């Protein structure tokens, strides 16, 4: 079973796409098998964007989390994200393909 992390932000759409695009290679270098970006079009979070990152298992996710804390270019990118946007929610799920 894989581990899926969904982070939802209130951020300008163009900035969100740019920053998510820059973050994706960092996630993949540290073991992510999939990175997706999407904008919410209805409900209470209309206009918010979500970044969905999938890891094959808990071990890979744990190693990635540790590595990302020591990845200085990623940390600088995350600081920029937090300066121009607001983290609304982060969910971590164990998922499986049907």
């Amino acid at each position: 079973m894989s581990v899926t992390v969904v982070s939802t932000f209130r951020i300008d759409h163009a900035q969100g796409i740019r920053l998510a695009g820059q973050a994706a290679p960092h996630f993949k270098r540290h073991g992510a098998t999939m990175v997706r970006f999407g904008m919410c079009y209805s409900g209470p979070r209309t206009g918010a964007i979500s970044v969905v990152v999938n890891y094959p298992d808990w071990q890979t996710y744990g190693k990635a989390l540790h590595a990302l804390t020591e990845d200085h270019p990623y940390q600088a990118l995350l600081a920029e994200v937090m300066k121009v946007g607001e983290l609304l929610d982060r969910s971590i799920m164990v998922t499986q393909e049907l």
Side-chain angles (χ1 to χ4, degrees):
M1 291 192 206
S2 62
V3 176
T4 302
V5 181
V6 181
S7 301
T8 302
F9 297 88
R10 180 83 55 209
I11 189 170
D12 173 77
H13 191 255
Q15 284 184 311
I17 290 173
R18 179 180 61 81
L19 294 167
Q22 291 176 6
H26 294 278
F27 297 134
K28 290 179 178 178
R29 184 173 56 255
H30 296 298
T33 56
M34 182 267 306
V35 180
R36 294 194 177 184
F37 172 93
M39 183 171 173
C40 181
Y41 283 90
S42 68
R45 295 222 168 130
T46 298
I49 66 102
S50 291
V51 178
V52 181
V53 183
N54 194 69
Y55 295 92
D57 51 45
W58 280 111
Q59 183 177 14
T60 305
Y61 173 65
K63 286 180 181 179
L65 216 55
H66 179 72
L68 287 166
T69 64
E70 297 179 352
D71 183 331
H72 298 295
Y74 172 77
Q75 289 298 314
L77 182 61
L78 182 59
E80 183 179 353
V81 169
M82 299 313 287
K83 196 179 293 183
V84 298
E86 173 190 6
L87 177 64
L88 299 177
D89 183 60
R90 177 168 290 130
S91 299
I92 301 171
M93 298 170 269
V94 175
T95 58
Q96 62 186 39
E97 190 169 338
L98 300 175

